[in-house]
Amino acid sequence: MTTRGRLAPTPTGLLHVGHARTFATAAQRAAGSLVMRMEDLDLARSQPEFAAAALEDLRWLGLDWPEGPDCGGPFGPYNQSERDGLYRDAWQRLVAMRAIYPSPHSRRDLATAATAPHPGQNGESIFPPHLRPAEWPLPADPGEVPWRFRVPDGRKICFVDGRLGTVTRTAGSDFGDFVVWRRENLAAYELAVVVDDHLMGIEEVVRGEDLLTSTARQLLLYETLDWPPPRFFHTPLITDAAGQRLAKRTGGLAIRDLRLRGLSPAAVLTAPIEELLSGPPGTRTQNKRFKRPLL
Ligand code: GLU
């Protein structure tokens, strides 16, 4: 039995050991049917050099994908920057259902709103419900204003994660109305990922557990668009021996840096993080073919 999975790097920086391990899990669980999708939606921040480096680093790790921006396939294009029309179709459907509304408020407006956004359980800001408009036009194009999905306040969104079991998030308290279309007249992450995972026939989404609340948001989009959701498997975040998240201090833990220091793919994927930080000789191999960064 195969499960169709995907790798979805964002080319705004170099991939690090956390990405390496999540992507390796995704590849392993996808059992033969794997899609590489480049999440270069934000062209202002994405860089072609990082996209090229991501593909190259992941291939160096031993991952292989039969479909992707570098090899084509029947569900392309595989760069989000080329899929704008598909996101607009979904935007149209959501607008027609009045599931989303234009929300011109800037961060500054939100900070000074009479009821400032209050932090939800996981510390996120909740969009103040009193800033929801009572009515709004139904334009043909999103224009240069953000659009938000109106969440059903108080509703519990439950899903069974492949690693964590049942996960529950409550709309309106763990997360509020979220942006599906950005001021720059571009699809926002939550919408683009749902459209892509649906249209690409993805059966299981594997990603880091920092995206658990996003999964709850995305499940609301699947339901509203009347699309069957995929299964989800969230991987643990990389921590050091003291249990501290490394997200903020990945310096030196880019796959590329580890390669340069002579570490093997196996060490990048499995060695304790402390070893990667200090790089004892046991984890090193000579890699004569790779002498300098590609960037
Ligand atoms: N592109 C996202 C990232 O690099 C992953 C999004 C997802 O897996 O849904 O963090």
Side-chain angles (χ1 to χ4, degrees), residues 6 8-10 15 19 23 37 39 189 193 197 205-208 210-211 218:
R6 46 60 153 195
T10 301
L15 299 182
H19 296 116
F23 289 144
R37 180 173 73 231
E39 303 216 321
Y189 159 73
V193 161
D197 285 336
V205 167
V206 177
R207 59 188 174 203
D210 52 330
L211 289 170
Q218 291 171 21

XYZ file of all heavy atoms in Angstrom, residues 6 8-10 15 19 23 37 39 189 193 197 205-208 210-211 218, ligand 1:
170
model
N 4.106 14.534 0.821
C 4.771 15.674 0.167
C 5.872 16.263 1.043
O 5.880 16.127 2.281
C 3.780 16.730 -0.273
C 2.676 17.197 0.655
C 3.101 17.794 1.907
N 2.134 18.744 2.433
C 2.412 19.611 3.383
N 3.599 19.609 3.954
N 1.508 20.439 3.838
N 7.503 20.071 1.527
C 7.085 21.426 1.165
C 8.015 22.478 1.764
O 7.629 23.236 2.653
C 5.638 21.649 1.622
N 9.267 22.544 1.286
C 10.183 23.538 1.851
C 9.828 24.968 1.442
O 9.249 25.186 0.381
C 11.545 23.145 1.263
C 11.242 22.385 0.022
C 9.897 21.724 0.235
N 10.155 25.907 2.302
C 9.994 27.336 2.008
C 11.384 27.905 1.737
O 12.235 27.868 2.634
C 9.366 28.055 3.217
O 8.115 27.443 3.487
C 9.142 29.535 2.927
N 17.864 25.077 4.652
C 17.207 24.068 5.488
C 18.162 23.628 6.591
O 19.371 23.533 6.380
C 16.815 22.858 4.639
C 15.837 23.115 3.496
C 15.503 21.804 2.781
C 14.568 23.780 3.990
N 14.448 20.459 9.584
C 13.801 20.169 8.298
C 14.252 18.802 7.798
O 13.442 18.018 7.293
C 14.204 21.202 7.230
C 13.769 22.599 7.524
N 14.666 23.621 7.741
C 12.548 23.156 7.623
C 14.004 24.742 7.957
N 12.721 24.493 7.897
N 11.571 16.014 6.900
C 11.428 15.595 5.505
C 11.781 14.112 5.341
O 11.174 13.412 4.536
C 12.274 16.472 4.580
C 11.736 17.891 4.441
C 12.590 18.969 4.326
C 10.372 18.128 4.406
C 12.089 20.267 4.193
C 9.855 19.413 4.269
C 10.724 20.479 4.170
N 7.053 20.060 -3.327
C 6.373 21.317 -3.659
C 7.165 22.481 -3.065
O 7.445 22.483 -1.866
C 4.954 21.302 -3.079
C 4.206 22.592 -3.386
C 2.767 22.517 -2.957
N 2.581 22.585 -1.527
C 1.868 21.720 -0.804
N 1.296 20.685 -1.369
N 1.752 21.879 0.497
N 7.465 26.017 -1.682
C 6.527 27.007 -1.140
C 7.134 28.410 -1.252
O 7.450 29.058 -0.258
C 6.118 26.606 0.278
C 5.502 25.202 0.251
C 4.355 24.958 1.213
O 4.403 25.447 2.347
O 3.404 24.257 0.805
N -0.473 31.483 3.446
C -0.024 30.095 3.652
C -1.185 29.112 3.855
O -1.261 28.072 3.197
C 0.947 30.058 4.848
C 1.078 28.685 5.458
C 1.790 27.686 4.797
C 0.454 28.363 6.661
C 1.877 26.404 5.329
C 0.542 27.090 7.201
C 1.248 26.116 6.532
O 1.317 24.852 7.049
N -1.732 26.057 1.064
C -1.383 24.680 1.432
C -2.587 23.747 1.282
O -2.464 22.624 0.794
C -0.809 24.665 2.871
C -0.857 23.282 3.480
C 0.615 25.166 2.853
N -2.503 20.747 -1.270
C -2.578 19.364 -0.776
C -3.803 18.665 -1.365
O -3.743 17.482 -1.724
C -2.592 19.335 0.768
C -1.206 19.619 1.348
O -0.197 19.383 0.643
O -1.113 20.078 2.500
N -0.125 14.454 5.400
C 0.734 15.625 5.552
C 1.655 15.374 6.746
O 1.174 15.103 7.849
C -0.127 16.886 5.803
C 0.714 18.058 6.283
C -0.903 17.252 4.541
N 2.958 15.422 6.505
C 3.934 15.266 7.592
C 4.649 16.605 7.740
O 5.194 17.130 6.768
C 4.960 14.153 7.270
C 6.010 14.054 8.375
C 4.255 12.812 7.080
N 4.619 17.176 8.928
C 5.292 18.453 9.163
C 5.544 18.629 10.646
O 5.075 17.835 11.466
C 4.453 19.605 8.600
C 3.069 19.708 9.186
C 2.254 20.739 8.422
N 0.885 20.772 8.856
C -0.116 21.228 8.112
N 0.118 21.677 6.897
N -1.332 21.258 8.589
N 6.236 19.693 11.002
C 6.634 19.897 12.394
C 5.439 20.231 13.283
O 4.437 20.798 12.828
N 5.054 22.464 15.340
C 4.743 23.886 15.505
C 3.540 24.276 14.637
O 2.996 25.368 14.796
C 5.967 24.763 15.161
C 6.560 24.437 13.802
O 6.465 23.271 13.356
O 7.112 25.347 13.170
N 3.134 23.388 13.727
C 2.010 23.705 12.841
C 0.701 23.043 13.271
O -0.271 23.025 12.519
C 2.375 23.335 11.392
C 3.429 24.281 10.783
C 3.936 23.754 9.452
C 2.866 25.679 10.606
N -6.652 24.725 8.974
C -6.772 24.148 7.638
C -7.952 23.178 7.561
O -8.628 23.084 6.538
C -5.448 23.497 7.233
C -4.372 24.559 6.997
C -2.979 24.018 6.807
O -2.800 22.860 6.463
N -1.977 24.857 7.051
N 6.500 25.339 3.976
C 6.295 25.102 5.365
C 7.613 25.139 6.085
O 8.658 25.083 5.456
C 5.654 23.765 5.643
C 4.221 23.863 5.439
C 3.495 22.565 5.595
O 4.122 21.515 5.689
O 2.285 22.637 5.572
O 7.613 25.273 7.283
